[in-house]
Amino acid sequence: MSNIRHAPTAPTRAKVLSAGERIDAHRHDDHQIVYAGSGVLAVTTDAGTWFAPGNRAIWVPAGTAHAHRAHGHLDLYLVGLPADDNPLGLDAPTVLTVGPLLRELILAYTRDPDDDSPERRRLLAVLRDQLRASPQQPLRLPTPTDPRLAAVCALVHAYPADPRTLAALGAATGVGERTLSRLFRHEFGMTFPQWRTQSRLYHALRLLAEDTPVTVVAHRCGWSSASAFIDVFRRSFGYTPGTHNRRA
């Protein structure tokens, strides 16, 4: 990332982003919770892209240079926490599940950022407790550093429905299957099939945010059928793609 803006304090506020709108690369001296109330939020750093559909939040540690992008209409809720207040103990961006109680706490806490009443401080204390109890989700697309791995990832990102095996993709880029398999595990900590599923889910969320029909999304993102796509989506997010669209 270049031209990174430094904003010392991470704001606490609600903000609406239209489809495709971006917030350019910046960093805070504070931690920040970024909650997608609707739409799909992508947070990108040098290390990769974390993505959160509605009812997910992304923890952004203090000092992390990051940029935001909205897919679909995005209701964005931001909660800043001082650098010495890390209820999650995390030093890398992480996607968190937001349950009904945590959602209402975030909405209430961001409603009046200038309120410094004892009631609002108690609200923050409960919000912090709920954050600690929130399950973490591996919704991340790491940025490859090895050019051989980057070439294969670019092919899959450009055409999510590409059915080629890792061996075939390696042949197209001049790299052996065993080398690529090792690189996926070494750089990403996951196998090629696991990474490709993450990539396809990200593209699927983007298409769903544009109101693309579920059957079309399944076809464009490489699933053999709509039912296969729905099954993977439900296991990943806890609800179906149709429910996701209604939430958005």
Side-chain angles (χ1 to χ4, degrees):
M1 287 187 177
S2 59
N3 300 320
I4 298 169
R5 177 169 49 89
H6 178 217
T9 303
T12 294
R13 61 177 178 175
K15 183 179 180 67
V16 174
L17 297 182
S18 57
E21 190 172 351
R22 300 170 183 266
I23 298 177
D24 292 336
H26 60 287
R27 61 181 177 86
H28 308 291
D29 295 335
D30 298 335
H31 306 297
Q32 191 171 54
I33 303 151
V34 189
Y35 169 59
S38 66
V40 176
L41 167 68
V43 171
T44 299
T45 75
D46 284 336
T49 296
W50 286 258
F51 50 100
N55 294 324
R56 296 294 188 277
I58 300 177
W59 168 263
V60 182
T64 303
H66 61 287
H68 304 296
R69 180 171 180 177
H71 298 289
H73 173 92
L74 181 64
D75 290 316
L76 191 63
Y77 298 88
L78 306 168
V79 176
L81 293 173
D84 59 357
D85 183 4
N86 187 339
L88 295 168
L90 296 172
D91 58 5
T94 306
V95 176
L96 305 170
T97 300
V98 175
L101 176 56
L102 180 55
R103 176 184 185 277
E104 294 304 319
L105 289 166
I106 292 173
L107 267 58
Y109 189 72
T110 55
R111 192 167 293 133
D112 186 2
D114 296 324
D115 179 7
D116 192 33
S117 64
E119 293 81 5
R120 189 163 179 270
R121 290 196 290 273
R122 289 195 293 270
L123 189 70
L124 177 60
V126 180
L127 192 158
R128 294 171 74 256
D129 288 341
Q130 286 297 304
L131 275 177
R132 279 192 287 265
S134 296
Q136 300 175 24
Q137 288 197 298
L139 300 179
R140 174 195 172 212
L141 285 176
T143 299
T145 58
D146 190 292
R148 297 167 295 180
L149 189 58
V152 169
C153 292
L155 288 177
V156 177
H157 282 316
Y159 179 38
D162 193 332
R164 285 180 289 181
T165 63
L166 185 58
L169 290 166
T173 55
V175 187
E177 179 183 13
R178 291 181 63 181
T179 297
L180 287 172
S181 180
R182 175 178 54 79
L183 287 171
F184 269 102
R185 289 183 178 278
H186 175 71
E187 288 208 16
F188 296 165
M190 64 182 84
T191 65
F192 170 66
Q194 290 171 330
W195 175 86
R196 180 156 62 181
T197 296
Q198 290 288 91
S199 176
R200 286 176 170 176
L201 283 171
Y202 176 52
H203 286 285
L205 286 171
R206 293 171 61 183
L207 290 170
L208 289 170
E210 298 168 1
D211 294 325
T212 307
V214 170
T215 302
V216 176
V217 174
H219 173 72
R220 289 185 183 176
C221 294
W223 276 278
S224 58
S225 65
S227 59
F229 167 52
I230 291 169
D231 181 59
V232 172
F233 194 96
R234 183 192 291 113
R235 283 190 280 112
S236 298
F237 301 114
Y239 52 85
T240 66
T243 303
H244 170 80
N245 276 348
R246 289 194 294 274
R247 290 183 179 196

